[in-house]
Amino acid sequence: MADRTGQEILRRLRWPIRLTRAGMLAERFTRAFWPVWSLAFAVLGALMLGLHDLVPVEVVWAVAVVALVAGLALLSWGVRAFRLPREHEVLARLDATMAGRPIQALMDAQAIGAGDSASRAVWEAHQARMRARAEVARPVRPDLRVSARDPFGLRYMAALVLLVALLFGSFFRVGSVADMAPGVGSAEAGIGASWEGWISPPGYTGKPTLYLNDQDAGEIAAPEGSRITLRLYGPSGALRVVEDVSGAPLEPAEGTGQASEPAQDFALAEEGSLAIEGPGGRSWDMAVIPDAAPEVDATGPAEASAVGDFTMPFEARDDYGVVAARARITLDEDRVDRRYGLSIEPEPRDAIEVALPLPVARGREDFEDVLVEDFSQHPWANLPVKLELRAEDAGGNVGKSPVQEIDLAARRFFDPMAAVVAEMRRDLLWNRDNARRIAQVLRAVSYKPEEGLFDRESDYLRLRFILRRIETGAEYGISDETRDEIAEALWDLALLLEEGTLADALERMRQAQERLTEAMKNGASDAEIARLMDDLREATRDYLEQLQREFAEENQRDGDSDQPDQGESDENTMTMTQDDLQRMMDRIQELMEQGRMAEAQQALEELQQMMENMRMTEGQGGQGGQSPGDQAMEGLSETLRDQQGLSDEAFRDLQDRFNPGGESGQSRGNEGGQGGMGREGERDGEGEGQAGEPGQDGEGERPGQEGAPQDPAESLAERQNQLRRQLDQQRGALPGAGTPGGDAAREALDRAGRAMDGAEEALREGDLAEAIDRQAEAMDNLREGMRELGEQMAEEQGENDGDEGQSADGRPGQDRSDPLGRNQRGATGVEDNMLQGEDVYRRAQDLLEELRRRSGERARPESERDYLERLLDRF
């Protein structure tokens, strides 16, 4: 009974048993013979890579004997260790994967209780349960791991050698072992001649290696400098190489071939032919792809930034990429104005060579960049020089740009005493024989220091100390070290005279900007970014405070202390600009926190440029009265502010009309006694314009100032009428008559006046929505007129550049600027930066978002939401 049951079980489980047996066979074969196939892989890979061609034949045969003995030993050990899996082992393996070992249970027979029906019923139930489990048996997966027997991973090393050989080797190399055997003649005759070849372009080209055995006869084009490697196998003289592409081919002797040199390796230097003559030979026409020299040239003029950095855009290109580029600068003595300290011959000085910046994250085949260097302290600063750009590729080819005759743009000093000190420093570096003349000039210009030549007594004392060193050197000679020390002291003094203590604050701010820039490039953490951003905020704040103090002291020295209104305007201007800078730095930090490093870097560069321009304007700005154009611009800006305030009040009145109990109505609850003039009047009371300007003398006559109750719309209409008359007066006094810019400005102001008339009429009729639309039109035309007038003034200023910025009376700097580089035409002057820049666009975006928010509030009256929708449609 048990035998029949066992046979039935085996029949039903024949496939799981067969697959399990195969897995056990694979396991035992792998564990027994893995050393054999590992050794075979290693030997075969070494032969395919041609390693036997690199060592003496004795070493080859010694290794072969060792490998053969080791292989036989490992094979013998594997045969003894290998055992075929037996039937009961297979069943035990399969049975062990199931609970209760059902196969063994089914093959068992009932030992006791066979005559008891109850015991037999239990046994049959048990057998049925085991049969159900056995029917779902699955083959056992083999365990092919031999890590316990190969702890060092030798099998993986052997497999890696074979894989490398399959990728980079060849089976043809295995046959060359026969050449090393005794009695090779008969072996060679049996094997025959064969060859292999490769063309390997230079690595910098990025071109793939060509396998000559796969190349049909014909033309092959390869980059210049490619290496041609040939391997010749077989009897000596059976094959020979004939080529004329290396520039120095070796002619084989008669009756022999270059097979006596089985490894041929030469460079592709010129076009020609390459042939392998003999059995299975082939020939090709070799074409050379020349490696062109790189091209480099300047794409714009060389300029100096606000802090004296030499900047020049350039472009470079090469067929495979530029690896190095430099700028070479030499003094152009023929164009130097040989007067004063430059009249004598200069001391010999090496040419200036600086590396050009190369891209890091993109290709160098064709790129544009900007050379930025600071040559302010070089003796050739601001002198005529010759500039030549050079670029080199990986092949050693050098390309040069045409020689340009330029001035070595560098920092300039605007303080007279600082300019003299800087010039004397240049003369000392030009030739130390100028020392006596330099001492005389410095004594002459500092003859009466008490007349305001020096802001601080310490500056004068430093000059006296330097002067004594120069006079001593003129008497006893100046060494190179002493000359450099004096030049450095003169440079530091020139900076102090030009900027005062502002130099230290500026340097701290620039260092903070540079550290933050490097941190963004190097992927600093959020904590490091936040710390560096705090450092930049603190350094910028210190710089602005020092800048304000410097400008206040300058105003006091120039007699501006009797203009308190203007000083108050400067203070307000500084505060407003600090807020703008704060918002810009907040924006930079926000971009960095969001991971938008490219945009943050651009914003940081804009901030740095703004600070440099601010500093430059402060250094160049002078004092003096206003021109007629400045006065007209100031008056128009005041009119624009008044019109804006009037439009704001009309909008608030419109809100009050539709939402009497709302926020706007409450905010204006205290203004009823002033006829709606409370907020505007307060603003006008602290305005930044000067007495006597258009529109300033009429404020006391505005309706609503007397406190008499009257209709708010009527008050707004009267004020709109006054603005209209004020604009007519300004239009009549507008300068630039007959010029295109002046005529365009008058036409724009005329359109603004007609829009004001329409706004006044709408206000008298109580149509506030129409009035606001007309007021917006008036402000647009006002801005256009101011822009046209500003462009006309800029053109006139450009025409007067030849006068070195002097006014008719010869005094420089009539265009007064505050410490932040803004013309003092009022807080809302219309220089070019008024109508452009990040802050203006950000403000416009904020206004649009506020309009959208209000238009989406369903609690607002329908008419108000319709008006807001019209505003959104328009803008």
Side-chain angles (χ1 to χ4, degrees), residues 249-564:
L250 296 176
E251 294 294 340
E254 185 67 25
T256 64
Q258 293 184 5
S260 59
E261 296 290 340
Q264 300 291 323
D265 191 353
F266 49 88
L268 177 62
E270 57 188 33
E271 295 185 351
S273 61
L274 171 64
I276 299 176
E277 297 181 350
R282 205 174 301 172
S283 64
W284 303 272
D285 294 328
M286 302 301 299
V288 178
I289 303 176
D291 186 0
E295 300 178 8
V296 60
D297 199 0
T299 58
E303 299 176 345
S305 67
V307 293
D309 289 339
F310 175 93
T311 59
M312 187 190 67
F314 70 93
E315 62 179 0
R317 64 183 64 87
D318 185 66
D319 44 7
Y320 300 119
V322 178
V323 298
R326 302 187 67 83
R328 179 180 174 85
I329 302 174
T330 56
L331 181 66
D332 190 357
E333 296 187 26
D334 296 337
R335 293 194 300 123
V336 174
D337 187 4
R338 302 297 291 273
R339 295 186 298 171
Y340 311 122
L342 306 180
S343 59
I344 62 178
E345 290 298 319
E347 295 181 1
R349 191 172 294 274
D350 296 335
I352 303 173
E353 290 196 6
V354 294
L356 299 178
L358 300 178
V360 176
R362 54 190 176 91
R364 299 180 179 179
E365 291 80 9
D366 189 355
F367 65 92
E368 296 182 1
D369 215 319
V370 179
L371 170 64
V372 180
E373 288 288 337
D374 189 356
F375 298 117
S376 300
Q377 299 187 49
H378 197 275
W380 300 343
N382 297 310
L383 291 180
V385 294
K386 294 180 179 179
L387 173 68
E388 182 184 57
L389 304 182
R390 300 182 179 183
E392 182 179 355
D393 61 13
N397 301 306
V398 178
K400 301 179 181 179
S401 70
V403 177
Q404 300 184 53
E405 295 182 350
I406 63 172
D407 290 342
L408 189 61
R411 176 172 184 152
R412 296 183 181 274
F413 292 88
F414 302 98
D415 181 86
M417 182 58 68
V420 170
V421 172
E423 182 179 349
M424 295 302 102
R425 174 186 176 276
R426 181 203 64 187
D427 293 347
L428 178 65
L429 294 174
W430 179 268
N431 195 316
R432 69 196 78 189
D433 292 341
N434 281 323
R436 193 174 303 279
R437 174 184 174 276
I438 293 171
Q440 293 174 350
V441 172
L442 291 179
R443 282 195 174 276
V445 298
S446 62
Y447 174 61
K448 291 184 177 182
E450 66 277 1
E451 294 185 355
L453 295 176
F454 299 92
D455 297 336
R456 291 165 296 277
E457 184 178 355
S458 59
D459 296 344
Y460 175 69
L461 295 178
R462 293 183 65 167
L463 178 61
R464 297 293 297 177
F465 175 75
I466 298 172
L467 184 57
R468 284 195 295 270
R469 292 195 65 182
I470 295 175
E471 290 176 341
T472 302
E475 185 69 22
Y476 300 103
I478 302 177
S479 63
D480 292 345
E481 182 179 356
T482 303
R483 178 199 60 189
D484 295 339
E485 292 177 355
I486 296 175
E488 184 177 359
L490 287 171
W491 178 260
D492 294 339
L493 177 59
L495 289 180
L496 281 176
L497 293 172
E498 177 76 10
E499 299 176 337
T501 56
L502 196 63
D504 295 336
L506 176 61
E507 184 62 26
R508 289 196 304 272
M509 186 183 68
R510 293 185 64 188
Q511 291 177 359
Q513 291 173 341
E514 292 175 359
R515 289 196 299 269
L516 183 59
T517 300
E518 289 299 320
M520 287 189 291
K521 290 180 180 178
N522 299 329
S525 63
D526 293 341
E528 293 173 331
I529 291 290
R531 178 177 57 82
L532 293 174
M533 198 68 202
D534 291 339
D535 294 343
L536 177 59
R537 293 176 193 273
E538 183 178 357
T540 305
R541 182 174 61 252
D542 294 343
Y543 174 72
L544 292 176
E545 291 175 355
Q546 185 63 38
L547 189 66
Q548 185 179 16
R549 286 196 296 270
E550 293 274 342
F551 188 73
E553 292 174 2
E554 181 182 352
N555 285 345
Q556 188 174 4
R557 289 195 303 269
D558 292 344
D560 291 343
S561 58
D562 56 344
Q563 299 179 7

Side-chain angles (χ1 to χ4, degrees), residues 755-768:
M756 287 183 179
D757 287 339
E760 179 186 353
E761 182 179 354
L763 288 172
R764 296 190 185 281
E765 295 176 355
D767 189 355
L768 293 178

Side-chain angles (χ1 to χ4, degrees), residues 223-229 243-248 265-270:
E224 181 181 1
S226 299
R227 301 297 302 181
I228 300 177
T229 303
E243 55 87 12
D244 57 358
V245 296
S246 63
D265 191 353
F266 49 88
L268 177 62
E270 57 188 33

Side-chain angles (χ1 to χ4, degrees), residues 623-695:
Q623 306 294 332
Q626 292 180 321
S627 66
D630 293 337
Q631 294 177 358
M633 293 290 278
E634 185 173 349
L636 291 175
S637 65
E638 180 67 23
T639 302
L640 179 59
R641 288 199 303 273
D642 290 343
Q643 182 62 79
Q644 181 65 61
L646 195 60
S647 180
D648 291 343
E649 287 198 33
F651 184 74
R652 287 193 293 269
D653 288 344
L654 181 63
Q655 286 183 303
D656 293 343
R657 178 177 300 178
F658 294 108
N659 190 15
E663 178 183 353
S664 177
Q666 294 175 4
S667 65
R668 291 174 52 87
N670 296 328
E671 298 178 12
Q674 296 180 5
M677 281 293 295
R679 198 172 292 183
E680 182 71 17
E682 180 182 358
R683 184 179 63 79
D684 292 338
E686 59 182 17
E688 299 173 3
Q690 298 178 357
E693 295 176 2

